[in-house]
Amino acid sequence: MDVLKIAAFSDGDTGGNPAGVVIGDTLPDTAEMQSIAGKVGFSETAFAAPDANSWRVRYFSPESEVPFCGHATIALGAALVRQLGDGVFALILNQARITVEGFRDGTNIAAALQSPPTRSKLAASELVAEALALFGYSYDDLDPAIPPALIHGGADHLLLALKSRKALAAMAYELKAGQTLMRREGLVTILLVWAETPRLFHTRNPFASGGVYEDPATGASTAAFAGYLRDIAWPHGGAIDIVQGEDMGIRSRLHADISPVPGSSIRVSGTARMMDEA
């Protein structure tokens, strides 16, 4: 079974979050997909098979299935462009229907996904306290302009916004403790954010629930975060840019367009580079 290796949300010809992509006539059974994802070892592998005029898609981390993965969707879009040409592709996920579009852009492929609907609510103080303790932060490290929240854009995340780039760079935690917290609370990731400007953010994204210490680019949490900024009437001007992965040495870039309609889909875009052809 061929597994394409594609880095999504790249910064030109470097960076990006590697994803595996498997496209077949039918999906393998669940155990086989989980086994393949474990062997690939990337934070996610996307599996896709045709379903009428759409594509049935499932996502697996090395240790678990996840309901939605943004960077693997961008990687899948790139793979479909390579196989079928530029276009918009309808995707059927476990819990939603979305689209991904893509077109060739020089040696790379530009792609954009429309996320599932977004929602958010303020996080309980007990959960915030436990998460701060996990990372060794205090309440004084938090940015009061962006309160801690549970955010959703196809998957559930805890958002913690920090006052300084220094605090973001200092992120550290114990993987097993993070995994216990995230799995107990049903969180796919915890998103740590620092606002350089109202429209430019730096993020880090621990993914202990899937057995991954940190992701260098995360489209699902970006969609959820953009939806939250809309919910709190943040002055985003209709779009935000995200720089992620810098502290890992894998600088990645994501862009999110924000519709004014509450709860509506977020368009998350970036470029993808074919690691197989590098």
Side-chain angles (χ1 to χ4, degrees):
M1 184 173 294
D2 292 334
V3 180
L4 297 175
K5 297 179 180 179
I6 302 172
F9 300 118
S10 59
D11 185 16
D13 294 325
T14 63
N17 194 357
V21 177
V22 176
I23 300 174
D25 294 331
T26 60
L27 292 181
D29 64 36
T30 298
E32 185 177 0
M33 287 189 283
Q34 186 64 75
S35 175
I36 292 169
K39 291 174 182 176
V40 171
F42 293 155
S43 56
E44 271 97 5
T45 296
F47 297 83
D51 185 334
N53 295 321
S54 302
W55 294 85
R56 178 69 174 99
V57 183
R58 293 175 68 179
Y59 308 93
F60 287 81
S61 77
E63 295 187 6
S64 61
E65 183 173 8
V66 296
F68 171 59
C69 173
H71 86 276
T73 300
I74 293 294
L76 173 59
L80 291 172
V81 166
R82 193 171 82 160
Q83 178 174 308
L84 302 172
D86 297 357
V88 179
F89 307 98
L91 309 181
I92 303 170
L93 314 185
N94 286 357
Q95 301 171 7
R97 290 176 178 262
I98 66 170
T99 61
V100 65
E101 60 183 286
F103 60 91
R104 290 191 178 273
D105 181 17
T107 58
N108 296 324
I109 293 174
L113 64 86
Q114 287 293 151
S115 77
T118 68
R119 62 178 183 267
S120 66
K121 63 179 181 180
L122 294 179
S125 58
E126 296 83 3
L127 175 59
V128 174
E130 188 173 357
L132 290 174
L134 174 69
F135 296 110
Y137 293 133
S138 72
Y139 281 95
D140 288 339
D141 292 308
L142 295 178
D143 182 350
I146 307 176
L150 294 170
I151 59 176
H152 180 93
D156 292 321
H157 313 268
L158 172 65
L159 166 71
L160 298 176
L162 303 171
K163 282 182 181 176
S164 70
R165 184 67 181 85
K166 181 179 179 181
L168 185 68
M171 184 206 85
Y173 73 104
E174 201 280 316
L175 181 65
K176 286 297 183 184
Q179 187 173 78
T180 297
L181 170 61
M182 291 185 208
R183 290 184 175 179
R184 188 194 73 219
E185 297 295 328
L187 302 171
V188 174
T189 73
I190 295 176
L191 179 64
L192 304 176
V193 173
W194 172 67
E196 180 175 343
T197 74
R199 299 184 66 177
L200 176 61
F201 299 85
H202 296 251
T203 66
R204 300 188 72 173
N205 210 214
F207 181 31
S209 68
V212 177
Y213 187 81
E214 181 179 3
D215 255 353
T218 319
S221 66
T222 294
F225 176 56
Y228 179 53
L229 292 178
R230 174 175 56 199
D231 292 344
I232 64 173
W234 180 265
H236 52 71
I240 60 170
D241 289 292
I242 300 283
V243 176
Q244 191 176 333
E246 275 188 319
D247 297 291
M248 303 173 67
I250 312 173
R251 193 173 191 270
S252 306
R253 296 191 65 91
L254 306 90
H255 180 83
D257 292 298
I258 306 171
S259 159
V261 179
S264 63
S265 173
I266 299 293
R267 187 177 191 268
V268 181
S269 58
T271 59
R273 58 184 181 88
M274 311 300 296
M275 298 172 67
D276 308 71
E277 299 171 359

